[in-house]
Amino acid sequence: EAQVTQNPRYLITVTGKKLTVTCSQNMNHEYMSWYRQDPGLGLRQIYYSMNVEVTDKGDVPEGYKVSRKEKRNFPLILESPSPNQTSLYFCASRQTGQGQPQHFGDGTRLSIL
Amino acid sequence: AQKVTQAQTEISVVEKEDVTLDCVYETRDTTYYLFWYKQPPSGELVFLIRRNSFDEQNEISGRYSWNFQKSTSSFNFTITASQVVDSAVYFCALSEAGWGGANSKLTFGKGITLSVRP
């Protein structure tokens, strides 16, 4: 089954404790992206990757890092999480080409205390 | 800069009513793509439909239909004979063409919470 898999689905942690949210897709997509969803703000892009070793900032990259060492994986790293990073996070991937729909993982709900 | 406005924030209807979700967009590109996504209470984001800026033909898929009008920059979504399972947050999104190495990110509206009561 074609899917985007995120782990963990839920995480409660404390300020300053480094964490990584993993994302993996099995569709051989070149493009991957991370979004965060906050009440009243909708979804906003954090980082994206056009291909292996090619990453760039989205609209709200502060406090986050990403890496793309393999095509299928695109982890999101919070080196020193803060409470304002409490949010629902989505990883997405899509085929190369204009206008291809992005397919989303099931989301990761992070709470930073 | 691109922008998507979903002016309705919450809509509540009784089962079997028809309901229309509005979406207005702004972009300076002549080539762009519009999407609708559904987020049920379980939280995942489900892709519903994509339209490109050159195709204004309206589309019907079962109880769902979409009305794309470039003249008013709108891409509205109608659910006919709504059902309780349609209860969800619905997002309209816009992507510019994204030539070469461009991001072509999705710009989302803030979403419309639809509640369908039995």
Side-chain angles (χ1 to χ4, degrees):
Chain A
E1 180 189 350
Q3 59 186 4
V4 178
T5 303
Q6 296 178 225
N7 280 295
R9 293 291 313 280
Y10 305 91
L11 179 62
I12 301 174
T13 188
V14 296
T15 299
K17 185 177 181 182
K18 180 180 178 180
L19 67 93
T20 300
V21 184
T22 63
C23 174
S24 181
Q25 50 94 5
N26 63 1
M27 296 169 278
N28 202 35
H29 289 167
E30 291 185 348
Y31 180 98
M32 297 185 74
S33 183
W34 277 101
Y35 292 82
R36 61 178 287 174
Q37 181 181 6
D38 301 290
L41 297 176
L43 286 97
R44 296 173 293 167
Q45 189 184 54
I46 304 170
Y47 268 94
Y48 67 96
S49 170
M50 299 294 291
N51 211 330
V52 175
E53 302 292 1
V54 181
T55 63
D56 208 345
K57 297 176 180 177
D59 294 324
V60 288
E62 295 77 21
Y64 304 95
K65 286 175 58 176
V66 292
S67 70
R68 188 89 182 275
K69 293 183 169 50
E70 306 165 281
K71 199 172 190 178
R72 62 183 293 126
N73 296 324
F74 190 43
L76 180 70
I77 303 156
L78 285 72
E79 294 263 357
S80 183
S82 62
N84 65 10
Q85 293 176 297
T86 293
S87 187
L88 178 58
Y89 291 85
F90 287 98
C91 180
S93 72
R94 65 165 172 80
Q95 288 181 339
T96 302
Q98 291 185 25
Q100 294 297 320
Q102 293 193 33
H103 298 278
F104 288 83
D106 287 343
T108 295
R109 189 166 291 280
L110 286 184
S111 294
I112 316 293
L113 305 178
Chain B
Q2 50 191 8
K3 184 179 178 182
V4 175
T5 301
Q6 296 181 263
Q8 304 151 310
T9 54
E10 294 184 20
I11 301 175
S12 182
V13 299
V14 176
E15 206 168 20
K16 298 190 180 142
E17 282 186 36
D18 298 347
V19 57
T20 295
L21 311 181
D22 298 333
C23 173
V24 174
Y25 63 91
E26 295 176 29
T27 179
R28 284 179 283 196
D29 272 20
T30 55
T31 302
Y32 52 88
Y33 299 84
L34 295 161
F35 304 82
W36 276 93
Y37 284 84
K38 173 181 179 180
Q39 186 176 40
S42 49
E44 71 272 23
L45 280 165
V46 179
F47 165 67
L48 294 178
I49 191 171
R50 173 192 68 177
R51 304 300 285 175
N52 71 54
S53 53
F54 297 113
D55 183 2
E56 288 191 72
Q57 187 173 5
N58 293 328
E59 181 158 338
I60 298 174
S61 176
R63 296 184 297 106
Y64 297 169
S65 62
W66 289 269
N67 183 358
F68 175 33
Q69 292 194 341
K70 284 179 77 170
S71 60
T72 55
S73 297
S74 65
F75 184 41
N76 297 337
F77 174 27
T78 296
I79 303 173
T80 303
S82 59
Q83 299 177 1
V84 173
V85 293
D86 295 326
S87 297
V89 182
Y90 291 87
F91 291 96
C92 180
L94 167 69
S95 170
E96 291 168 349
W99 298 99
N103 182 13
S104 64
K105 68 177 180 184
L106 286 172
T107 295
F108 284 86
K110 294 183 179 177
I112 302 169
T113 301
L114 174 64
S115 298
V116 182
R117 309 186 306 276

